[in-house]
Amino acid sequence: MCALIIPLDQWTKYLVVQRFELHQSMTLIEHYLNLVYVQNTGAAFGIFADSALRVPFLSGIAVLAVGVILWILPRLGAKQRWQKLGLVLVVPGALGNLIDRVRFGYVI
């Protein structure tokens, strides 16, 4: 699943960069969902945005998170399929952000 989601993540970000101006938004579902082109240099809400160590630190956090998830997944029981799905979907998100951070120094 990750092998499909990561390229899709990178492709959609590529399309946004090519077709949007920074901070431009487009409504996808009225009153519920907008697509906005933002470059986050930090973590959540711009935390660490001005730190010289932000890329290595936040990249390390992403790698650590993926490692922990990969350690947890095989330990979940057969009846915990929703928890497994949720964790499996976090992995490509973390790896997509890691790719952005290494390539650009920020997450799109």
Side-chain angles (χ1 to χ4, degrees):
M1 184 180 289
C2 290
L4 297 173
I5 296 174
I6 293 170
L8 181 62
D9 171 72
Q10 293 299 300
W11 180 66
T12 56
K13 290 176 181 181
Y14 170 79
L15 290 176
V16 167
V17 169
Q18 294 301 310
R19 298 177 183 196
F20 282 51
E21 296 292 325
L22 189 59
H23 304 293
Q24 181 180 350
S25 90
M26 178 175 74
T27 300
L28 299 177
I29 301 174
E30 189 70 37
H31 304 297
Y32 293 100
L33 183 63
N34 293 329
L35 179 63
V36 182
Y37 176 21
V38 178
Q39 297 174 351
N40 186 358
T41 57
F45 310 108
I47 296 170
F48 301 117
D50 297 326
S51 172
L53 298 175
R54 77 176 182 274
V55 171
F57 176 74
L58 295 172
S59 296
I61 294 294
V63 170
L64 179 64
V66 169
V68 169
I69 290 170
L70 294 178
W71 181 81
I72 290 171
L73 278 172
R75 289 161 175 76
L76 293 175
K79 292 185 178 183
Q80 295 175 297
R81 61 180 173 261
W82 291 110
Q83 290 89 338
K84 287 181 182 179
L85 177 62
L87 289 173
V88 165
L89 292 175
V90 169
V91 170
L95 293 176
N97 287 357
L98 176 61
I99 291 167
D100 285 1
R101 219 172 275 292
V102 169
R103 285 181 66 200
F104 308 119
Y106 54 84
V107 175
I108 298 172

